[in-house]
Amino acid sequence: MAMMPKRVKFRKAQRGRIRGKATQGNRVVFGDYGLQAVQGGWISAQTIEAGRIAAQQYLRNEGRLYIRIFPHKPITAKPLETRMGKGKGEPEYWAAVVKPGTVLFEIGGVTEEAAKLCFSRLAHKLPVKVRFIRRQPM
């Protein structure tokens, strides 16, 4: 089942706009390798789940996959063939707001080649451009 918040204060949210680069969640923390967004956008809960399944099928219980984003934003839509007006539409799905530089997924416990192959499979499912990064020593 796709991810979504357990409860929210407000059922519908305004669109907003994505400005600037990510200042938090922009470096690899949990795993050894990460998949970092190069451009901003919304990533739906279904897309995150599809990426998780693709990565898990490739890894086959070797290593650990970390998902660093969560869909907090409700995206509303009006039904098809509806006249203008009559208020805002109902929530259709949940999305994660991603700024450029946000680390989306991380992998630990596998070789670099395996991580690159896994992330290349996962990147095909994402609506934003991404790049492969390594953990920086502190």
Side-chain angles (χ1 to χ4, degrees):
M1 192 170 151
M3 294 189 286
M4 64 183 284
K6 285 192 181 115
R7 55 189 297 271
V8 289
K9 191 169 184 180
F10 298 107
R11 212 163 57 90
K12 299 174 183 178
Q14 293 187 336
R15 289 176 65 88
R17 62 183 191 174
I18 300 166
R19 299 175 64 179
K21 293 185 171 72
T23 55
Q24 295 177 325
N26 58 357
R27 40 181 69 91
V28 179
V29 179
F30 300 104
D32 301 318
Y33 308 102
L35 197 65
Q36 186 179 46
V38 178
Q39 60 182 164
W42 292 343
I43 300 180
S44 71
Q46 290 89 335
T47 306
I48 297 169
E49 181 67 10
R52 183 193 69 80
I53 290 167
Q56 294 287 5
Q57 284 176 346
Y58 181 80
L59 290 174
R60 298 240 180 252
N61 295 334
E62 290 180 20
R64 175 105 154 77
L65 178 74
Y66 300 92
I67 302 172
R68 293 284 307 275
I69 52 175
F70 187 83
H72 290 289
K73 186 179 188 64
I75 307 299
T76 61
K78 298 282 290 260
L80 291 173
E81 299 181 11
T82 305
R83 293 190 177 188
M84 292 287 105
K86 302 277 189 283
K88 190 173 169 89
E90 292 304 309
E92 285 283 308
Y93 63 94
W94 293 86
V97 179
V98 172
K99 285 185 169 187
T102 305
V103 174
L104 309 174
F105 295 91
E106 291 183 19
I107 290 181
V110 294
T111 63
E112 187 171 340
E113 294 78 38
K116 278 187 179 176
L117 282 168
C118 181
F119 281 149
S120 70
R121 290 179 55 145
L122 204 154
H124 284 293
K125 305 204 176 292
L126 297 175
V128 294
K129 288 182 182 173
V130 292
R131 68 178 185 159
F132 179 84
I133 57 170
R134 290 173 198 81
R135 185 177 198 148
Q136 297 296 324
M138 291 190 187

